């Protein structure tokens, strides 16, 4: 069935049609990104200087687009206004970004867990809505029960970058009764946006402690280099 494009308001048919093919071609042009943190880098650069000096706990990162128009607005509508009709289109951007990489796909897709209070307030976990769509018909399995949120934390965007790692330290854990399922596994953490990367880094650290062999960070959108964003 045709649907109205959420960006240009034109009619479109087909999968993920809430963003039409024309808008995808215009606003989701692939750009070189650091393989470790997904920040935009000059052509021919595989790893940004920051990741060479201090690599993050995750082994690779993939972003569907930059956190800019129209993706920033669509993510806000999806995340805070319950626009679940946008989930397919957002997941499709992330899927396309990961497909451009030739490395093997992970075995598990794990959504970043929400605090119980925030889940009640929002009614859904946006990371799970993305992860389960990314897993549909693919080689990876989505699982919302392996990672736990132990406590609520302040919104990362409300904090200066230097305080974000401390804000999420100790906030996550692996489900104790399922810890053995992770040993030697290749997993991807799924979330909507990466800013400083502190949340995904803490989750990756927890997974590595549980014996995971490789952790990827998958996000729909990546903010610009912190000096420009913050």
């Amino acid at each position: 069935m045709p649907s109205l494009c959420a960006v240009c308001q034109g009619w479109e048919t087909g999968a993920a049609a809430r963003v039409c093919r024309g808008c995808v071609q215009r606003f989701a042009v692939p750009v070189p990104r650091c393989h470790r943190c997904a920040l935009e880098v000059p052509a021919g650069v595989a790893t940004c200087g920051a990741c060479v000096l201090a690599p993050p706990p995750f082994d690779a990162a993939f972003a569907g687009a930059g956190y800019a128009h129209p993706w920033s607005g669509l993510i806000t509508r999806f995340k805070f206004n319950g626009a679940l009709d946008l989930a397919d289109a957002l997941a499709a951007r992330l899927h396309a970004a990961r497909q451009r990489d030739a490395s093997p796909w992970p075995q598990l897709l794990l959504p970043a867990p929400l605090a119980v209070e925030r889940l009640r307030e929002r009614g859904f976990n946006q990371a799970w809505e993305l992860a389960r769509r990314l897993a549909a018909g693919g080689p990876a399995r989505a699982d919302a029960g392996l990672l736990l949120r132990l406590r609520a934390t302040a919104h990362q965007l409300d904090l200066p970058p230097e305080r974000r790692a401390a804000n999420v330290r100790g906030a996550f854990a692996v489900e104790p009764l399922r810890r053995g399922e992770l040993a030697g596994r290749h997993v991807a953490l799924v979330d909507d946006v990466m800013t400083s990367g502190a949340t995904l880094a803490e989750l990756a650290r927890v997974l590595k402690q549980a014996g995971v062999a490789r952790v990827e960070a998958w996000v729909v959108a990546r903010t610009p280099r912190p000096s420009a964003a913050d």
Side-chain angles (χ1 to χ4, degrees), residues 104-139:
W105 272 60
Q107 298 157 298
L108 290 168
L109 304 184
L110 306 181
L114 280 181
V116 172
E117 298 87 348
R118 203 157 291 163
L119 186 60
R120 284 201 199 101
E121 175 187 326
R122 196 168 297 165
F124 65 97
N125 179 352
Q126 74 280 355
W128 169 245
E129 295 300 326
L130 295 167
R132 68 185 187 89
R133 285 165 170 81
L134 288 161

Side-chain angles (χ1 to χ4, degrees), residues 60-106:
F62 300 91
Y67 190 69
H69 175 79
W71 310 109
S72 54
L74 296 179
I75 289 169
T76 296
R77 288 165 56 186
F78 167 56
K79 185 174 180 177
F80 298 112
N81 298 330
L84 289 169
D85 56 305
L86 297 173
D88 285 338
L90 296 174
R93 301 281 48 79
L94 179 46
H95 184 272
R98 184 56 178 86
Q99 283 283 78
R100 289 191 289 272
D101 190 271
S103 60
W105 272 60

Side-chain angles (χ1 to χ4, degrees), residues 23-31 64-65 71 93 100:
C23 285
V24 168
Q25 291 170 1
R26 180 181 178 186
F27 296 114
V29 178
V31 298
W71 310 109
R93 301 281 48 79
R100 289 191 289 272

Side-chain angles (χ1 to χ4, degrees), residues 35-221:
H35 188 65
R36 289 302 298 265
C37 73
L39 275 174
E40 191 171 343
V41 293
V45 174
T47 307
C48 72
C51 288
V52 170
L53 294 174
F58 40 84
D59 301 284
F62 300 91
Y67 190 69
H69 175 79
W71 310 109
S72 54
L74 296 179
I75 289 169
T76 296
R77 288 165 56 186
F78 167 56
K79 185 174 180 177
F80 298 112
N81 298 330
L84 289 169
D85 56 305
L86 297 173
D88 285 338
L90 296 174
R93 301 281 48 79
L94 179 46
H95 184 272
R98 184 56 178 86
Q99 283 283 78
R100 289 191 289 272
D101 190 271
S103 60
W105 272 60
Q107 298 157 298
L108 290 168
L109 304 184
L110 306 181
L114 280 181
V116 172
E117 298 87 348
R118 203 157 291 163
L119 186 60
R120 284 201 199 101
E121 175 187 326
R122 196 168 297 165
F124 65 97
N125 179 352
Q126 74 280 355
W128 169 245
E129 295 300 326
L130 295 167
R132 68 185 187 89
R133 285 165 170 81
L134 288 161
R141 176 173 62 87
D143 194 316
L146 275 165
L147 285 171
L148 305 176
R149 186 105 187 198
L150 301 180
R151 60 179 175 83
T153 57
H155 283 288
Q156 291 288 76
L157 290 177
D158 294 337
L159 300 172
E162 64 272 13
R163 290 182 55 194
R164 292 175 186 175
N167 183 50
V168 294
R169 179 69 67 178
F172 306 104
V174 168
E175 166 56 58
L177 298 179
R178 302 184 63 191
R179 193 178 180 92
E181 298 177 34
L182 289 169
R185 292 285 192 137
H186 174 187
V187 309
L189 291 163
V190 180
D191 209 352
D192 55 337
V193 180
M194 188 193 303
T195 51
S196 68
T199 297
L200 291 165
E202 177 67 9
L203 286 165
R205 188 183 66 80
V206 167
L207 288 170
K208 290 290 185 75
Q209 287 180 342
V212 171
R214 177 178 170 84
V215 179
E216 297 181 9
W218 291 12
V219 294
V220 175

